[in-house]
Structure formats: C-alpha cells, structure tokens
Amino acid sequence: MSTDSLYQELVRLRETLENHNYNYYVLDNPSIPDAEYDRMFRRLQEIEQQQPEWQSAQSPSQRVGALARGHLPEVAHEVPMLSLDNAFNEDELTAFQQRVQERTGVTGDLQWCAEPKLDGLAVSLLYEQGQLVRGATRGDGYQGEDITANVKTIRAIPLSLRANEQGEFPERLEVRGEVFISLASFERMNEKALAQGSKLFANPRNAAAGSLRQLDSRITAERSLDFYAYAMGEVTPARQLDNDSHYARLEQLRAWGFPVSRETKRLTTNQACITYYRDLLARRDALPYEIDGVVFKLDAIALQEQLGFVARAPRWAVAQKFPAQEQLTWLRGVDFQVGRTGAITPVARLEPVEVGGVVVSNATLHNADEIERLGVRIGDRVTIRRAGDVIPQVVGVVVDERPANSSAVEFPSRCPVCDSAVERVAGEAVSRCTGGLFCGAQRKEAIKHFASRKALDVDGLGDKLVEMLVDRDWVQHPADLFKLNALQLASLPRMGQKSAENLVNALARSRKTTLARFLYSLGIREVGEATAQNLANYFGSLDALMAASEEQLQEVDDVGVIVAAHVHNFFREPHNQEVINMLTQGERAVYWPEVAPANAASLDLAGHTYVLTGTLEQMTRDEAKEQLQARGAKVAGSVSGKTTGVFAGANAGSKLTRAEQLGVPIYTEAELIKLLES
Ligand code: IVH
C-alpha cells in the first residue's frame, strides 16, 4: 500500500471513530456494532505504530491513556468555576424565585432552564482551533489539576469540535460539565472489586473521582466514565454566540459535539419548576446515572448578567437537592445470613435511620474482606448508603467517634444455621457454608427460589410459609411441596381451610410449567431466567441438556466456560439427579410441553431486540417477555438505535419518547399479540 493511501486510511479511521462516538454519546444512536469499533481502533493503532510521525494528540488512539510521571500539574481557571446555592425544599425554591423576580424587576413568569444535577465531578475542557488542548478539574474553583490525558480517554468528550451549520466553531472555547459514571458501570466496577477482594467505591461519585484523578490514564480508560456538558466558560470570538438563552447555548454545545442530558428542559413558568422537580424525583431511581437534585438556571443570558454573582455562586441559579442517599447511624451488631448457594453475608444491624425517605435498620457488609477494609467495629458510627433498588450498604466508618467499648466483628468459622464448616475458596471473596441442602438456611432459600414468580410461580407460597414448612420438616426437597395436603396446611398458624385449599390448588397448577422455568427453578449457579431460556431453546428437552458435554453447553448463547461448568457439574451431582427424579416422576410430577430443539423455524425472532413499555391489558410484561424470548428474541430494558421495535401499552413514558426520537418502530399491544400468535 502506498504511503499516500495509508495516510488516507488513517484520516478516514480517525474521522469514523470520532463520528461513531458522536452518534453514540450525543445522538444516543449507535451506528456500528462495538466489535466493528474495536476493529477500526486496532487498525488505527497499527498504522500509527508503523508511522510514528503521524501520531497526533487528537487521534482517537489517545483514548487508551498513558502513564504520566510525578503528579498532576496545576491549572489556573481563566473564568473561576463557581458552585451553586442550594434549596432544600419547595419553599426555598419559591423564595429563590421571588428574589430573582424582585432583583430583575420582571413581573410576569420567568423562563428557566432545568437540568439534572449530576453527581460526579466538574471539569473544564479547553478547545483551541477546534482541538481539545486541556482538561482540568475544578479544584478550589480558581486552581484545578491538569487531567488532559485522562479526559481524552472519555469517549463522550470530543477530541475536536464539529463545525456548526455555518461551518464554524470558536477559536477558543471552554466547556464545562460533569464527568460521572453510569450506575451500570459503577455496579460492574464494584462487582469486579468484590469478586477480587479489592476495595469497593462507596458511591458513583467517588468512583468517578478516583478514576479521573489518576496519574496513569490507562486506568481512567478502563473505567467507562461519561460526560454531560452544562455550561460554557470562555468563548472567543463571542460573535459565535448569536443566542441569548442558556438553553440555546446548550443546543449549540450539542451541535459542536458535546453530549447534553436529555432531561434538560426549558420551562416557561415558576410553577413548572416544581413539577419538573417532582417528576425527576419520582424517576430518580429509573435514571441510568445518579443525580442528587435538579438545577434551575435563569434562561435569559441578559438577566443572568444583570444579576451576577454573590460570594462563590451565581444569583441566577439554584440547585434544588433531593433527599440524601447517605446517612450516619450506629452499628449495633452484625448477623451472618446464609444464602441459597451457602454464601455467608454479614448483615449490619443498625440504629434505625431514615435514608431517602425509607427507614433502614439493616445493611449489607458484603464479605470478610470488606469488613476488614472498612475496619469497622461493633458500636461504630457508620455511613449508610441506600440508592435505587440496591440493598442498603455500610460504606464508611467515622473512626473519630468510636466508643471505648467497641468490639471486633468475628467472622464465623462454622455455619450459624447448621454448624457445618465454613469454607473460602482460594481467590474468591465469599465464604460459604459447606452444608448444602443439609443446611436449613440453604434449603429454605432453594425452596423459596423454586416457588418464586419467575420459577414455578406458586401463588400464595410466601417466604414465611416456606420457613415454617422447612422448620417443621414437612418439606426437605422441592418435590415435597407437591405432597402437602390441605388438612395438614390448615393446621398452620394463620392458615384457614380456604387458603390451605387454595395453596394446594396453586401447587397443582404450578406443576404444569415450561422447561425454561423448570431449569431456572433448580437454582443452578449463574443460570438466571435468560440463560435458562437459552438452554431450553437450544436443547429442547431435559434429557438432551443433562447429557450435554461442557463443549456442547458452550455452544449456547451467553453460555461461557464458567456457566457451562456449573451446569455440567450440577447434573453430574447424584443428589441433584435424585431431586430431579423426584420432581419429574410419579403421579405429582412437574411437566411441560415438548419443544423442538433450536432450529431456524422455531426461533424466528432470533437476532431481534424488543423493548416493552407501559401497561399491557391482555397479558403482563413478564408474560410477553417470556414468549418473545422463547422465540429467540432479546428483550431489553432500554431503547437504543439497535432496538428492533418497541411495544407500547397504556401510559408509556420516556421509552416511548426515546423510540420516537430515534425513529425506532413502535407497535401496539394488538400488534404484539398478532406477532406472538403468528
Ligand atoms: S452549573 C455557575 N449545572 O454542581 C454554575 N452544575 O454545586 C456552575 N453540577 O461544581 C455549575 N450538575 O459539579 C451546574 N447541571 C448542572 C450541574 C452542576 C452538577 C455540579 C457541578 C458544580 C456543583 C455546584
């Protein structure tokens, strides 16, 4: 290949890779599969290695990071990076709005720009002649740290500006925004840390901060940080800002290539701010990233300039905070819970404390390593975090307030339920009870799982009831459930004749199931509902699955070496074979309709991804999901450019809007039923 055409290929690769980032992060519309991105990326690296003189500070290859020596140098901000005043309730917001009305002399309603208050780190990005030349942290507002190499690894941050419609961008532009980590990435990071027995990050903010302020930007590159722009600093020449509203400036930033939160809205009345706050608070847990409030900014730049600043915050903006997700309380004791797989989890017993509107009296301490790392002792003052639907956790200890009579947390060496030995596999962070189904705790959890909604779905068999049945030794194995009779059940406390009969009927009904549900109900390690469905689709029958080798198992979608080994070992274990025999043979056996093993005809929806949203009338979303999956389709939780279609029931919300924005086909429930019946 001639040097000329190699150079052209390099230019094309750089452009395509950055375009892809723009499509992905700014337009939310991925244009090529990740694997293709990776391929082009490697090709770019290859060319640059071959021709080192073509290396450029703006090349997407810089996004892998590099090791810096020494420390992060200081940067002075040309325009100080200020902070925001807070409002802690609706009255404080109204008072703020009134002050703004008075100061501006505007009598009618004011126009506001409402934005989520992202919980990450403020950064400043400087572009000269359209090229990213510097990234800095906020620091004390006047001086920050130079994190140029680190911000370049964040794919949401453009390395060069896109020209606007007039083909222009400013000679010098400073963009401000928040670097943050999505909840999914945060959880992945901590799951990995938990499994490796390394330090957990207390919250997404700390994870983002710890990842960004790294001397070795290769570490930053691995952390999948994200970015939203929310303001401009210096813009030269200023004529490129032919708009007089903050909202319009954010749109301008989007056009130059910066992602701006889709939740950003222009509001035309003061009252609308309250509605916006309530709406976002209600949706807080459903957002893919953590926010700690909303920010209202006066939309008219002229009015912003008129009001100016007081101390270190603008008079024209306010952050209305959400209830905190972290609180301090006292650790009264630690109990050890035994899970379905024998995993022993230390559970903190706390002085009850309200966190984000819910009273918390228990929180997880994860495992022995985490107790050691936190250095926590019984009696300590501890920080509790409760966010979204994740169980509350102890994330910190206030060592200064440790009482004199504090005591160490002793991790048990024998199971607190069955007294079997506790074992810790080398290289794993979890400790497990070795009692298996001999252990009452494991048996209870196994049976709860067996009867749960996504497994055999036994109506009316709640956790408390399972515990009673196991404690009385009426149920040792799942198959024992089907031997229960109404007379016996009616003798239990708080169980009438009628409910006993209902339960017996529900048990009988649950015996008719599907192969996928049955597999899931067995509680094989790492086999969730989706994997169970894939296994059922692929093998068609239990016998074929039980006979499969590890290699054959690995042929199945989403089944790797580890899952294949778990499945294989499970079916080799004589005790498990016995349980399966008890369940599938005899008069009260579990049964399911035969399905043909996977072939092109039976899995006609393979390769399609659907999203279900809103309320369906003829079936539940879970039922629809199950039927779609049985036909080979994937059912995703969020809409993206890769979504085949969205089925929208009544009162569909943001997912429907998203689909409209992305031009993803939208179908009605009637169309869903037609598809499922076809
Ligand atoms: S504007 C002069 N907008 O909140 C106004 N800040 O308490 C400066 N933050 O350090 C900030 N989301 O890290 C603004 N949509 C948003 C924000 C936001 C998060 C953070 C930012 C800042 C802190 C101020």
Side-chain angles (χ1 to χ4, degrees):
M1 193 185 273
S2 74
T3 324
D4 250 12
S5 51
L6 193 64
Y7 189 75
Q8 270 159 25
E9 185 186 353
L10 171 100
V11 171
R12 221 173 28 243
L13 282 169
R14 285 180 179 164
E15 211 177 277
T16 318
L17 285 166
E18 284 306 280
N19 268 334
H20 175 64
N21 282 341
Y22 176 75
N23 290 336
Y24 189 93
Y25 290 101
V26 183
L27 304 182
D28 273 324
N29 191 14
S31 47
I32 53 170
D34 290 353
E36 181 61 11
Y37 182 95
D38 295 340
R39 193 195 59 73
M40 291 195 286
F41 198 93
R42 279 194 302 274
R43 175 68 184 143
L44 173 65
Q45 286 176 311
E46 198 178 280
I47 301 179
E48 288 177 353
Q49 244 156 38
Q50 229 173 324
Q51 308 280 348
E53 68 280 13
W54 291 345
Q55 192 47 272
S56 139
Q58 264 61 49
S59 170
S61 63
Q62 301 295 303
R63 294 197 184 275
V64 294
L67 180 64
R69 302 259 159 238
H71 66 292
L72 300 172
E74 292 221 316
V75 169
H77 299 299
E78 277 95 32
V79 184
M81 290 181 77
L82 299 160
S83 115
L84 291 168
D85 274 341
N86 293 322
F88 289 99
N89 53 47
E90 291 179 1
D91 288 345
E92 290 186 15
L93 175 66
T94 309
F96 160 78
Q97 289 174 329
Q98 239 135 40
R99 281 197 303 276
V100 173
Q101 295 281 180
E102 281 158 23
R103 276 183 183 275
T104 52
V106 176
T107 44
D109 264 304
L110 288 160
Q111 191 140 282
W112 300 95
C113 182
E115 303 165 18
K117 186 167 191 295
L118 301 152
D119 205 6
L121 246 84
V123 297
S124 143
L125 305 170
L126 183 64
Y127 291 79
E128 283 175 350
Q129 315 304 332
Q131 308 294 314
L132 174 62
V133 294
R134 195 193 72 196
T137 61
R138 185 177 102 111
D140 63 4
Y142 301 94
Q143 293 220 317
E145 284 171 320
D146 188 323
I147 47 161
T148 312
N150 308 61
V151 296
K152 278 187 176 173
T153 69
I154 302 173
R155 276 160 63 172
I157 294 179
L159 300 172
S160 345
L161 300 182
R162 306 175 77 85
N164 65 7
E165 278 161 25
Q166 292 78 44
E168 293 177 317
F169 49 70
E171 279 154 34
R172 218 171 126 87
L173 170 70
E174 193 209 339
V175 175
R176 289 169 178 194
E178 199 86 347
V179 167
F180 61 97
I181 190 162
S182 71
L183 284 169
S185 301
F186 169 67
E187 274 156 29
R188 232 179 291 127
M189 225 167 117
N190 266 357
E191 262 164 33
K192 206 166 131 193
L194 202 58
Q196 290 174 344
S198 48
K199 185 180 177 303
L200 298 190
F201 286 99
N203 53 45
R205 210 200 96 80
N206 288 7
S211 304
L212 191 59
R213 297 181 53 252
Q214 287 279 343
L215 284 176
D216 187 344
S217 54
R218 288 171 302 189
I219 299 179
T220 316
E222 280 172 9
R223 298 285 174 81
S224 43
L225 293 174
D226 218 320
F227 174 80
Y228 276 141
Y230 55 63
M232 293 180 194
E234 185 195 332
V235 188
T236 317
R239 73 175 156 73
Q240 249 135 20
L241 290 178
D242 53 357
N243 50 61
D244 51 10
S245 111
H246 176 74
Y247 186 83
R249 288 189 177 182
L250 293 181
E251 287 193 319
Q252 171 68 83
L253 283 176
R254 218 179 244 150
W256 281 329
F258 297 90
V260 174
S261 166
R262 295 273 163 197
E263 302 295 342
T264 302
K265 297 270 145 54
R266 183 187 261 157
L267 306 176
T268 52
T269 65
N270 291 348
Q271 180 59 36
C273 294
I274 297 199
T275 315
Y276 179 90
Y277 171 83
R278 290 182 189 165
D279 170 63
L280 215 53
L281 179 58
R283 292 193 293 115
R284 176 189 203 177
D285 291 346
L287 296 178
Y289 43 80
E290 194 147 280
I291 64 177
D292 58 347
V294 298
V295 184
F296 298 111
K297 300 173 183 172
L298 205 48
D299 194 41
I301 303 290
L303 292 182
Q304 285 188 3
E305 283 167 359
Q306 182 194 332
L307 290 185
F309 297 85
V310 58
R312 304 189 52 193
R315 283 203 188 86
W316 42 263
V318 73
Q320 192 180 5
K321 301 293 284 273
F322 286 162
Q325 292 182 316
E326 286 181 15
Q327 290 295 345
L328 284 170
T329 187
W330 299 98
L331 177 63
R332 295 302 181 210
V334 176
D335 287 346
F336 293 87
Q337 245 168 31
V338 186
R340 179 162 59 82
T341 59
I344 297 191
T345 307
V347 178
R349 302 293 175 215
L350 307 163
E351 191 61 38
V353 61
E354 196 184 302
V355 193
V358 171
V359 176
V360 173
S361 41
N362 303 313
T364 180
L365 278 159
H366 298 293
N367 57 40
D369 287 347
E370 183 63 6
I371 291 178
E372 196 176 318
R373 250 188 326 271
L374 286 167
V376 64
R377 291 172 67 86
I378 294 167
D380 268 344
R381 190 137 174 85
V382 290
T383 305
I384 303 304
R385 169 180 153 89
R386 187 193 73 88
D389 44 18
V390 180
I391 45 173
Q393 316 171 52
V394 176
V395 296
V397 177
V398 188
V399 180
D400 290 350
E401 291 186 48
R402 175 165 291 159
N405 63 352
S406 73
S407 60
V409 181
E410 302 281 359
F411 208 90
S413 57
R414 306 204 69 87
C415 174
V417 176
C418 72
D419 203 41
S420 299
V422 168
E423 185 184 75
R424 191 167 156 184
V425 179
E428 273 190 37
V430 273
S431 310
R432 286 179 205 280
C433 158
T434 52
L437 286 186
F438 167 76
C439 174
Q442 293 187 52
R443 208 181 302 151
K444 282 176 187 169
E445 295 312 310
I447 289 165
K448 285 178 197 170
H449 176 77
F450 180 81
S452 66
R453 205 167 50 82
K454 289 176 175 168
L456 260 68
D457 191 18
V458 184
D459 227 10
L461 186 58
D463 288 0
K464 284 274 167 299
L465 195 50
V466 170
E467 284 165 24
M468 276 194 267
L469 295 172
V470 174
D471 286 339
R472 282 173 173 66
D473 249 354
W474 291 357
V475 174
Q476 296 186 323
H477 304 290
D480 297 337
L481 287 171
F482 302 117
K483 296 185 195 141
L484 295 166
N485 63 57
L487 202 64
Q488 186 185 16
L489 285 170
S491 72
L492 289 171
R494 285 180 304 280
M495 175 75 85
Q497 183 64 32
K498 189 80 200 129
S499 3
E501 278 165 19
N502 287 345
L503 182 56
V504 170
N505 290 336
L507 279 161
R509 273 198 310 276
S510 74
R511 289 185 5 243
K512 177 176 191 296
T513 185
T514 63
L515 176 56
R517 278 175 176 270
F518 179 71
L519 291 176
Y520 174 70
S521 79
L522 294 174
I524 307 169
R525 274 178 68 189
E526 311 252 354
V527 178
E529 7 148 23
T531 308
Q533 185 71 62
N534 291 346
L535 289 167
N537 287 347
Y538 188 91
F539 290 101
S541 76
L542 181 61
D543 290 340
L545 170 61
M546 287 180 72
S549 67
E550 290 191 44
E551 291 70 33
Q552 284 170 318
L553 287 163
Q554 287 174 38
E555 302 272 301
V556 179
D557 251 5
D558 296 331
V559 175
V561 184
I562 296 175
V563 179
H566 283 317
V567 175
H568 192 255
N569 295 343
F570 183 91
F571 290 123
R572 292 293 144 320
E573 166 67 49
H575 180 89
N576 291 334
Q577 293 172 358
E578 203 181 309
V579 169
I580 291 171
N581 278 340
M582 289 194 281
L583 279 169
T584 54
Q585 269 147 47
E587 209 178 302
R588 297 194 187 156
V590 169
Y591 61 101
W592 52 84
E594 282 299 313
V595 283
N599 57 49
S602 66
L603 294 184
D604 56 339
L605 298 180
H608 294 271
T609 303
Y610 295 100
V611 171
L612 296 159
T613 183
T615 316
L616 302 178
E617 315 230 307
Q618 310 288 319
M619 62 179 94
T620 67
R621 287 217 297 260
D622 276 338
E623 284 163 354
K625 181 174 171 186
E626 198 177 337
Q627 293 190 37
L628 286 166
Q629 284 175 339
R631 298 263 294 265
K634 285 210 162 97
V635 178
S638 62
V639 181
S640 79
K642 291 182 192 160
T643 310
T644 315
V646 171
F647 293 107
N651 302 319
S654 60
K655 290 179 194 167
L656 180 60
T657 322
R658 215 58 209 91
E660 283 163 354
Q661 281 166 355
L662 297 180
V664 169
I666 297 162
Y667 303 103
T668 61
E669 179 170 0
E671 287 169 304
L672 168 66
I673 292 169
K674 216 167 120 199
L675 174 75
L676 292 176
E677 285 171 353
S678 69

